[in-house]
Amino acid sequence: MQTQIYRNFIEGAWCDAASGETFNAINPTDGTVIGSVAKSDRIDAQGAITAARKGHKILDAMTAWERAALCNAVADQIQSRRDSLAEILSAEQGKPLISEAYGEVDAAATGFREAAELIKWMEGEYIPVETPNVRAVSYRKARGVYAVITPWNFPINIPVEYLAPCLAAGNGVVWVPAPSTSACASALMECIVEAGVPEGAINLVHGPGDVAGDEIVVNPGTDGIGFTGSPVTGGIISKRGAGKPMLLELGGNGPVIVLNDADLDKAADAAAFGCFFNAGQVCAATGRILTTRDTHEALAQKLKERAEAIKLGNPLDKNTTMGPLNNSSVVAKVAQHVADGLDRGGKLLTGGRVAAEHGSELFYAPTVIDDVPVDSLLNTAETFGPVAPIVVCEDDEDLIRTANAAGHGLAAGVFTRDLSRAFNFGERIQAGLVNINNPSCYWELHLPFGGAPGKNSGIGRLGGKHTLRAVTEIKTITFNIG
Ligand code: NAD
């Protein structure tokens, strides 16, 4: 792959950072440089905010049908560049090309098509009022300029979760993507540009989140914030952007709970998928597997077999089913959590080490640890890596208590054949999404997705019409016709 230059896209033009500074886009498989990226600062972000205001005005003057056509045009571009998008996604993010990268690209195209469909069905209300001769209507309206900040784990699809509904609804956008997947962001931006989206409607500003990202959060020129990332950064953004409407999609530590009447093979397949898909770098990943003493040995053995069947390697190789982790801080956190789990008495069944023989220090062997104590970081915090920790509980009440004791509450899976147990767990697990007989990470783009109240997993709901609602405001107009 040739070394490239990844510029900002502001007010309809590709441009360098005002400072002229750059940083490198790196391939995590072997540490090679993919390209050089504009290292933007506050000046660049401010220019993009001004451009997005103009872009919003253009979009606002269009009909929903015209904006839907733009969304469909972006989806067409994504589909026509399916191969090159999947390749850069695999090369820069590290996910396997065949088993994962193509799927993410397809989901991005679907995201734009769904926004195109849904915006046409954004109905308002005709509201009865007490006063004679007065009529009242209300409808949803774009807020203006949206600040969108996205992570590196799904660097094509997560941005689309905001960009598509913002475009469909008529918001101008300034988008600051994660620096370690800047090339993916540029590749998606090219689709938006080639689709003929109006000047200023969507602006891309590469660079450090705590500078360019912070600017779009605090600047009074943005009217709303869409953020997906860690709870720590989400906490900073909620303070720095206080007063603005926010959609915050933060971390998870999703349990998969396997009850003793479950089909253990199906449960093991699903839990392994939840733990190892995208090398565990998924907010809704299966961060821990909770089960009872009567099933844990058989389940642990099945998980070990599945972990050992995974093919680590270059993600561009068609046989690879797990690539490297995206960056060194992820590896450090995984290593810390595994060491903590083993120190506290967990039993290592497989993995538990960096697997640099596959190309770089960012490869980590799929890991299964049995009998992880409840006070381990693996059970209490988000690991975000390819680890399957099994926590043994006493009974159903203990399973629910242990699931709910963690600080996060994003997504969970429950395996049982018993309908009443399924309902009991579904209703009592504190997570925005509970999947019965599916892994914690099962989700479709139009389903509501977000953190449970009182948990450190975010505010609001993404997904289909829910995102459209989140990026719009209700406007009410009354008419005195007397
Ligand atoms: P992160 O919070 O470190 O970074 C996310 C983004 O925020 C990046 O673009 C970064 O540059 C930017 N950023 C950093 N500091 C900032 C600041 N002060 N102001 C504004 N922006 C700033 O998270 P990450 O490591 O990139 O992503 C992993 C995390 O994201 C995990 O916790 C994961 O669970 C979460 N996540 C959540 C969802 C969801 O839908 N709930 C989806 C994917 C990932």
Side-chain angles (χ1 to χ4, degrees):
M1 202 166 286
Q2 264 188 329
T3 300
Q4 298 260 355
I5 298 177
Y6 300 106
R7 297 193 166 87
N8 293 333
F9 189 81
I10 300 175
E11 203 164 1
W14 295 101
C15 52
D16 294 323
S19 66
E21 283 193 52
T22 59
F23 63 97
N24 286 336
I26 304 289
N27 178 333
T29 296
D30 54 14
T32 53
V33 174
I34 294 172
S36 103
V37 187
K39 188 176 177 188
S40 311
D41 58 24
R42 290 180 189 276
I43 306 279
D44 305 286
Q46 288 159 7
I49 292 168
T50 307
R53 181 66 55 192
K54 294 184 201 164
H56 161 59
K57 287 210 174 101
I58 298 170
L59 293 176
D60 209 29
M62 297 169 88
T63 66
W65 263 250
E66 288 169 317
R67 294 193 301 269
L70 288 175
C71 289
N72 279 322
V74 179
D76 292 344
Q77 287 292 329
I78 291 172
Q79 282 178 312
S80 72
R81 293 154 187 255
R82 188 171 181 262
D83 289 333
S84 61
L85 282 165
E87 277 163 25
I88 192 66
L89 174 56
S90 186
E92 192 190 34
Q93 197 281 335
K95 65 187 65 195
L97 178 69
I98 302 297
S99 56
E100 296 188 20
Y102 276 107
E104 181 173 343
V105 173
D106 293 342
T110 303
F112 271 101
R113 293 214 193 279
E114 286 190 357
E117 275 179 48
L118 288 164
I119 195 61
K120 297 178 184 172
W121 296 96
M122 283 289 283
E123 291 176 347
E125 281 182 298
Y126 180 92
I127 310 167
V129 291
E130 190 178 4
T131 319
N133 293 327
V134 170
R135 307 287 184 267
V137 293
S138 75
Y139 62 101
R140 302 203 77 97
K141 191 177 177 342
R143 289 215 160 95
V145 173
Y146 247 80
V148 173
I149 302 173
T150 52
W152 46 263
N153 58 338
F154 292 91
I156 304 275
N157 193 40
I158 287 178
V160 171
E161 290 168 5
Y162 297 102
L163 302 183
C166 279
L167 178 62
N171 288 297
V173 169
V174 182
W175 170 31
V176 176
S180 70
T181 44
S182 298
C184 293
S186 279
L188 176 61
M189 193 68 218
E190 276 170 21
C191 300
I192 294 166
V193 173
E194 290 305 312
V197 169
E199 217 167 82
I202 299 180
N203 304 274
L204 169 65
V205 180
H206 287 296
D210 58 354
V211 181
D214 182 68
E215 182 61 33
I216 66 172
V217 167
V218 296
N219 194 302
T222 60
D223 306 300
I225 299 169
F227 171 76
T228 298
S230 65
V232 172
T233 310
I236 296 170
I237 288 176
S238 66
K239 292 193 186 81
R240 300 280 290 161
K244 297 186 185 185
M246 297 186 194
L247 194 45
L248 299 180
E249 293 294 334
L250 309 180
N253 181 19
V256 155
I257 301 165
V258 183
L259 303 188
N260 53 7
D261 67 341
D263 178 324
L264 282 195
D265 280 310
K266 284 188 183 158
D269 282 343
F273 179 75
C275 291
F276 301 127
F277 171 60
N278 203 20
Q281 303 161 114
V282 182
C283 55
T286 300
R288 54 217 171 102
I289 297 143
L290 312 184
T291 192
T292 40
R293 196 148 295 283
D294 45 355
T295 48
H296 91 103
E297 261 176 41
L299 185 64
Q301 209 46 45
K302 289 177 192 295
L303 280 162
K304 178 175 184 285
E305 284 161 18
R306 283 152 180 82
E308 289 176 349
I310 289 170
K311 301 230 168 347
L312 267 183
N314 185 329
L316 290 165
D317 183 328
K318 67 176 174 32
N319 296 318
T320 295
T321 55
M322 188 189 290
L325 299 180
N326 179 257
N327 58 69
S328 55
S329 26
V330 188
V331 181
K333 191 175 179 196
V334 171
Q336 182 206 0
H337 284 202
V338 167
D340 174 79
L342 297 179
D343 284 351
R344 288 176 196 272
K347 296 179 196 71
L348 183 66
L349 299 189
T350 189
R353 64 177 188 91
V354 168
E357 67 274 20
H358 294 285
S360 77
E361 297 281 330
L362 298 182
F363 283 88
Y364 198 90
T367 297
V368 181
I369 306 179
D370 194 12
D371 241 329
V372 168
V374 283
D375 58 356
S376 306
L377 290 170
L378 288 167
N379 180 52
T380 59
E382 181 183 48
T383 301
F384 221 57
V387 186
I390 300 158
V391 180
V392 181
C393 298
E394 294 307 318
D395 50 25
D396 284 12
E397 283 307 310
D398 192 27
L399 286 165
I400 292 174
R401 196 169 38 245
T402 307
N404 289 342
H408 299 100
L410 194 57
V414 179
F415 280 79
T416 178
R417 292 177 168 112
D418 181 325
L419 193 56
S420 61
R421 281 172 107 188
F423 252 96
N424 187 31
F425 276 77
E427 289 178 352
R428 291 177 63 195
I429 297 298
Q430 293 172 309
L433 174 69
V434 180
N435 295 313
I436 308 297
N437 294 327
N438 255 327
S440 52
C441 60
Y442 168 76
W443 181 60
E444 294 187 20
L445 295 174
H446 61 291
L447 296 177
F449 186 83
K455 294 288 182 181
N456 206 6
S457 289
I459 305 172
R461 290 290 179 270
L462 265 180
K465 66 183 178 187
H466 304 280
T467 326
L468 275 174
R469 285 181 186 151
V471 301
T472 52
E473 194 72 60
I474 295 176
K475 177 82 176 256
T476 304
I477 305 179
T478 69
F479 302 80
N480 185 343
I481 59 168

